[in-house]
Amino acid sequence: MNEGFNVLVAGAGYAGAVAARALADRGKRVLVLERRPHIGGNAYDRLDGAGVLIHQYGPHIFHTNDRRVFDWLSRFTRWRDYEHRVVADLPDGKGGRMTFPVPFNLTSLETAYGPERGRALGDKLMAAYGAERKVTILELRQSEDPEIRQVADYVYEHVFVHYTMKQWGQTPEEIDPNTTARVPVFLSRDDRYFQDTYQGMPLEGYTPMFERMLDHPGITVELSTDALDRLDLSGEALKVDGAPFAGPVIYTGQADELFAFRFGPLPYRTLDFRFETLERDDFQGYGTVNYTVDRDYTRITEFKHLTGQVKPGVTTIVEEYSRAYTGAEGEIPYYAIINLDNNALYAKYKAEADKFPNLHLLGRLAEYKYYNMDAIAGRALDLAEKL
Ligand code: FAD
Ligand code: UDP
């Protein structure tokens, strides 16, 4: 490795890029190795063939309550005010289709049950749990009140069970309860997907934000470069390019892959994205529509609504199809499958990593967690401070 560097970062997504910049700002010289031909990790965006700004790895909406993270990222981008709104699209039981807001809220209740009965049920739920409260579907299903239980069953059937089966191949009871808790039943008229204080989209996109973040005299980025070809963890001391390296190594890829899957592969879900460009101004009127009951895909996102790009006569959408990650060439592990067994397997890899005092696992893959962008950015800033 080039003698001039004192920190090595594997991966140029949120974890790697934020850590690299925060360390470079403190005077470190950082080498970033990224396997893909671009920076930004799964938040990478680009113009497609029709000139529409798309998110290549699925829709990314920034939201946080963490002022420190928001201010820090704001050094590298201005923001477009954007509050994500999602509707469920499902059969109405009469041969047609219906839509209502997700998270399921007081408005959804009135669509599902009619205005009068819906309002009465809403009042009942608010009396039981409190107005403006968020209640998880699993919590709601535990109610002993028959009417509340009936609503819970309705929401379970029409919002959660089929979508969750598509996304995870398992029911809401079988997966980590924190996952469905991300999208609670909301006893409110607020139909935003997120309630965070800071929400928006980088004004020119995520990739330009990452370009500015990594544009620092102390940072060198090598694209299309696999850190596993440069790192050697076979001995007692960590080596880079064949020579012992004592500086911090921040690894943001898969923990199992880092140790050649020696305890077996960590399970993940992957996604197939089907992009389509249509010759019209608008396809669905919303950033994202969730298909909560039928269809093979989980959701459709129309990027122009997210990005605010003005582009008459053309729009690009993406359908997301979820399936088990097999590790085949070109597949990307998008979601850790969090449960006791998998966490225990992960702990074995983490213990291996901990044998190297200068090796740090950071990020959604490396930590085997369901982290949003802001959480990763926060963890990267914390690590940089600690180092
Ligand atoms: P990644 O973005 O995966 O970056 C890791 C990088 O490391 C990759 O570029 C990879 O190529 C590279 N790498 C791996 N191994 C190596 C190696 N050996 N050598 C070199 N490079 C390597 N979060 C939100 O806050 N809001 C959203 O709306 C949102 N939507 C999402 C939608 C989808 C479909 C998905 C999958 C995730 C979404 N997220 C969202 C989560 C968000 O993508 C993550 O929080 C974030 O990308 C994590 O950053 P990271 O750096 O940990 O991982
Ligand atoms: N979920 C669901 N129906 C929906 C939306 C979400 O069942 O309409 C469940 C599903 O299990 C999903 C989880 O809630 O995986 C989290 O949803 P979120 O939209 O946060 O997922 P992400 O955007 O991270 O894929």
Side-chain angles (χ1 to χ4, degrees):
M1 155 159 169
N2 190 319
E3 309 275 288
F5 298 100
N6 39 36
V7 180
L8 178 74
V9 174
Y14 260 92
V18 171
R21 178 59 187 244
L23 287 165
D25 283 342
R26 289 173 170 78
K28 303 282 186 199
R29 277 155 296 125
V30 187
L31 175 63
V32 180
L33 305 178
E34 168 56 57
R35 184 187 269 170
R36 296 182 192 174
H38 60 73
I39 57 173
N42 288 340
Y44 171 70
D45 55 12
R46 65 173 174 86
L47 295 181
D48 67 9
V52 179
L53 183 60
I54 60 161
H55 298 178
Q56 183 156 315
Y57 306 97
H60 280 71
I61 299 103
F62 186 81
H63 57 101
T64 192
N65 287 318
D66 189 337
R67 171 87 195 255
R68 176 186 64 142
V69 164
F70 183 74
D71 286 347
W72 194 87
L73 293 173
S74 300
R75 291 171 53 197
F76 310 106
T77 188
R78 287 180 295 153
W79 299 92
R80 159 176 198 251
D81 277 333
Y82 173 72
E83 296 187 313
H84 197 46
R85 285 182 170 77
V86 174
V87 292
D89 183 310
L90 63 160
D92 65 1
K94 295 175 240 163
R97 299 192 71 82
M98 64 195 267
T99 59
F100 53 63
V102 174
F104 194 91
N105 65 13
L106 297 176
T107 307
S108 316
L109 204 52
E110 287 170 21
T111 306
Y113 285 91
E116 223 166 284
R117 177 119 178 85
R119 207 163 308 136
L121 288 168
D123 289 343
K124 178 151 198 184
L125 286 165
M126 286 190 283
Y129 298 96
E132 301 299 317
R133 264 285 319 272
K134 292 178 173 176
V135 189
T136 71
I137 184 59
L138 298 179
E139 187 185 349
L140 202 63
R141 286 192 103 209
Q142 257 145 39
S143 170
E144 280 168 16
D145 181 296
E147 252 183 343
I148 293 182
R149 190 54 213 248
Q150 194 210 359
V151 173
D153 288 345
Y154 180 91
V155 178
Y156 184 83
E157 170 63 27
H158 293 86
V159 179
F160 286 97
V161 70
H162 303 287
Y163 187 103
T164 299
M165 284 303 298
K166 284 191 270 183
Q167 177 72 6
W168 298 98
Q170 290 183 297
T171 65
E173 287 77 12
E174 289 166 327
I175 65 171
D176 177 22
N178 293 318
T179 299
T180 47
R182 289 167 61 91
V183 187
V185 173
F186 192 17
L187 303 179
S188 172
R189 299 268 163 204
D190 184 347
D191 61 354
R192 296 171 304 163
Y193 207 63
F194 311 110
Q195 275 68 45
D196 303 58
T197 310
Y198 309 101
Q199 328 193 9
M201 302 293 290
L203 195 59
E204 298 100 17
Y206 289 96
T207 305
M209 177 183 81
F210 280 103
E211 278 165 2
R212 290 189 281 261
M213 200 183 294
L214 291 166
D215 180 13
H216 185 287
I219 301 177
T220 302
V221 181
E222 292 183 22
L223 296 178
S224 305
T225 303
D226 195 327
L228 295 175
D229 296 337
R230 312 276 289 270
L231 258 179
D232 179 357
L233 300 177
S234 65
E236 214 142 276
L238 185 157
K239 287 185 186 159
V240 175
D241 292 338
F245 183 73
V249 172
I250 300 175
Y251 193 83
T252 76
Q254 289 166 252
D256 53 354
E257 191 182 21
L258 178 60
F259 293 101
F261 306 99
R262 68 173 65 148
F263 307 116
L266 283 163
Y268 292 95
R269 298 290 287 179
T270 188
L271 298 170
D272 294 317
F273 294 107
R274 188 138 94 211
F275 288 87
E276 202 178 341
T277 298
L278 307 162
E279 287 182 6
R280 53 168 122 165
D281 291 335
D282 191 332
F283 171 71
Q284 62 184 14
Y286 281 87
T288 298
V289 175
N290 285 3
Y291 288 82
T292 53
V293 172
D294 56 355
R295 309 283 168 86
D296 292 336
Y297 43 81
T298 50
R299 58 187 178 190
I300 298 182
T301 294
E302 183 173 12
F303 293 104
K304 277 166 62 179
H305 293 289
L306 271 51
T307 60
Q309 187 183 14
V310 179
K311 197 127 178 79
V314 64
T315 190
T316 299
I317 62 170
V318 67
E319 296 167 353
E320 291 175 50
Y321 299 82
S322 174
R323 61 184 168 84
Y325 173 74
T326 68
E329 183 76 32
E331 257 181 21
I332 294 175
Y334 287 109
Y335 295 89
I337 303 176
I338 290 160
N339 61 37
L340 291 175
D341 287 350
N342 297 349
N343 290 351
L345 180 55
Y346 173 76
K348 291 190 184 178
Y349 286 111
K350 173 77 168 93
E352 287 299 296
D354 288 343
K355 290 181 186 164
F356 301 91
N358 57 333
L359 175 62
H360 305 274
L361 299 182
L362 177 74
R364 182 154 148 141
L365 288 170
E367 298 181 67
Y368 201 69
K369 289 259 169 61
Y370 199 152
Y371 283 135
N372 287 329
M373 298 183 278
D374 63 321
I376 293 297
R379 294 182 69 73
L381 293 178
D382 289 344
L383 178 62
E385 226 161 81
K386 199 181 95 187
L387 294 175

